[in-house]
Amino acid sequence: MIDCLFCSIAEKKIPAKIIYEDERVVSFMDIAPANSGHLLVVPKMHYQDIEDIPDNALQELIIRVKKMAKVLGKISQGVNIVQNNKKAAGQAVDHVHFHVIPRYETDTLQFWKSGKYGSEDDMDKIANKLKNIISEMN
Ligand code: AMP
Ligand code: ZN
């Protein structure tokens, strides 16, 4: 039995402000919002992160993310979709989830600061490394 916050929310063992639910997915208010209306979209089944969730479950999940983005689009001027994987990337809850965050032209939210490569060669090196990984995947 996994001790998981989002499993517990999906199973209604602990309270959350659920705004949408169907057979596969639950969507609820993030308790510490980046902006008012910040939603989480969570599969009812437990998967740790994007690498763990099967393709068909991810397809079902992203369709619900789109639905919630459309909902938030009615109350805001834009929407960010954020998805963190593993501690280094800021994943605090080890149950795969998408953040859907409403945006306003006047807000000051910033998710990352743009950087730059030292040289084009540096950029080519990492690009080639990634292409090699892809070519070795089945
Ligand atoms: P992440 O950092 O991507 O794992 O995001 C986890 C999110 O879960 C954070 O934005 C938290 O604010 C949110 N969160 C943590 N506990 C709860 C809770 N009990 N109800 C709703 N949202 C929560
Ligand atoms: Zn879980």
Side-chain angles (χ1 to χ4, degrees):
M1 189 71 194
I2 310 156
D3 184 20
C4 169
L5 176 62
F6 288 173
C7 283
S8 298
I9 288 175
E11 291 163 16
K12 318 278 170 55
K13 289 179 179 159
I14 68 163
K17 295 197 187 300
I18 294 174
I19 65 134
Y20 174 80
E21 180 178 11
D22 60 32
E23 70 283 6
R24 298 268 189 250
V25 164
V26 66
S27 180
F28 51 91
M29 308 297 286
D30 192 304
I31 207 166
N35 256 347
S36 177
H38 180 162
L39 296 176
L40 298 172
V41 187
V42 173
K44 287 186 170 177
M45 287 276 290
H46 181 90
Y47 308 106
Q48 187 167 319
D49 62 34
I50 196 85
E51 291 188 37
D52 196 28
I53 185 169
D55 289 354
N56 63 333
L58 181 60
Q59 283 166 350
E60 290 171 346
L61 185 59
I62 199 72
I63 288 165
R64 274 63 162 199
V65 168
K66 181 180 177 184
K67 185 182 180 87
M68 294 305 110
K70 281 178 82 171
V71 171
L72 289 180
K74 305 279 185 205
I75 63 146
S76 68
Q77 294 156 323
V79 172
N80 285 116
I81 293 165
V82 178
Q83 203 276 314
N84 300 324
N85 298 285
K86 299 189 170 65
K87 194 166 164 234
Q91 185 176 11
V93 179
D94 285 343
H95 178 132
V96 70
H97 54 279
F98 283 83
H99 297 256
V100 190
I101 302 167
R103 296 299 307 270
Y104 306 91
E105 277 160 22
T106 51
D107 77 36
T108 54
L109 272 185
Q110 200 181 357
F111 291 93
W112 65 80
K113 212 171 147 216
S114 297
K116 61 178 181 185
Y117 287 98
S119 65
E120 198 169 336
D121 194 43
D122 286 349
M123 195 175 177
D124 285 340
K125 273 188 194 138
I126 184 76
N128 289 333
K129 191 172 179 180
L130 297 174
K131 285 199 277 187
N132 284 339
I133 292 168
I134 291 167
S135 69
E136 282 162 16
M137 281 176 154
N138 50 17

